[in-house]
Amino acid sequence: MPKINGNEIRPGFILEHDNGLWAAVKVAHVKPGKGGAFAQVELKNLRDGRKLNERFRSEDKVEQVRLDNKDQQFLYETEGRLVFMDGETYEQAEIDAELLGDRRPFLQDGMTATVEYHGEEALSVRLPQKVKCRIVETEPVVRGQTAANSFKPAILDNGVRIMVPPFVGQDEEIWVHTELMEYSERA
């Protein structure tokens, strides 16, 4: 694994630090009036979700980890485990459902997701950027209610509650941004 200097850390980098794998969430480069410059890095543990704030000086060496990304198809869920299949080798892998967190309802049968592996261990699952959902409950469309920033609550077919523009009605299909968990556009 390549070693990088502390000032080369960027958000999204995966680092091996304190006998664990950590993702750099936020990085701020600080140059105090007295003393040397450093990078203030907010790290998130990829295995248990703990967060840590750490300072890295430019002369500190950190191991950067490269993860293997594999596009895999979601098959089914059993006892809190998600079963994915590799489209090339047809091998099946079980992954803990907690890796998806609150984005879990957006995972649909047959959907292709990107699973990030470190060796044989699955560390994260990335869903497609947008997913099509149907609105099962929302307030009716009110004519003349076209204020630029007015939104109304809606419940999707997967049970997730989001805010939608006033012109979107019940039983309509919309695209939902999976990372932000918010309305994107009509389908």
Side-chain angles (χ1 to χ4, degrees):
M1 285 180 277
K3 286 196 180 261
I4 59 172
N5 293 332
N7 62 349
E8 295 175 13
I9 299 172
R10 301 283 176 262
F13 278 22
I14 309 297
L15 309 172
E16 189 167 310
H17 179 68
D18 283 345
N19 298 322
L21 290 176
W22 300 81
V25 180
K26 294 180 186 171
V27 179
H29 294 280
V30 181
K31 185 165 180 8
K34 192 175 187 180
F38 60 88
Q40 183 70 37
V41 182
E42 182 181 316
L43 299 168
K44 182 179 178 190
N45 190 302
L46 293 176
R47 291 190 173 106
D48 59 21
R50 286 181 297 141
K51 289 202 171 184
L52 173 72
N53 279 312
E54 197 74 50
R55 287 183 177 185
F56 294 98
R57 297 187 324 258
S58 61
E59 58 268 7
D60 291 342
K61 296 285 187 194
V62 185
E63 293 220 16
Q64 183 179 5
V65 177
R66 300 264 187 241
L67 298 179
D68 297 326
N69 294 333
K70 292 182 183 176
D71 288 338
Q72 297 190 325
Q73 182 181 13
F74 173 64
L75 299 177
Y76 59 91
E77 181 175 2
T78 177
E79 298 174 14
R81 310 278 299 162
L82 305 174
V83 179
F84 285 87
M85 179 181 70
D86 190 314
E88 295 172 8
T89 63
Y90 300 107
E91 289 181 18
Q92 293 184 6
E94 284 191 16
I95 298 168
D96 192 0
E98 290 182 15
L99 283 179
L100 279 171
D102 52 356
R103 293 171 299 139
R104 167 63 189 99
F106 292 108
L107 184 63
Q108 300 165 352
D109 288 342
M111 177 183 280
T112 300
T114 303
V115 182
E116 294 181 327
Y117 286 93
H118 180 253
E120 294 295 315
E121 179 186 12
L123 294 175
S124 73
V125 178
R126 268 186 310 189
L127 297 178
Q129 189 173 8
K130 293 180 184 176
V131 173
K132 190 188 293 188
C133 296
R134 191 175 52 80
I135 296 176
V136 293
E137 185 181 321
T138 189
E139 299 166 7
V141 177
V142 178
R143 292 188 76 69
Q145 187 181 24
T146 58
N149 287 334
S150 68
F151 280 81
K152 62 184 182 180
I155 298 175
L156 303 175
D157 54 359
N158 58 12
V160 175
R161 195 176 195 71
I162 66 167
M163 300 299 282
V164 296
F167 58 81
V168 177
Q170 189 166 322
D171 294 324
E172 280 192 56
E173 287 193 335
I174 61 171
W175 289 99
V176 178
H177 196 287
T178 55
E179 286 297 315
L180 306 173
M181 292 182 64
E182 62 186 32
Y183 170 85
S184 177
E185 60 191 328
R186 276 181 165 161

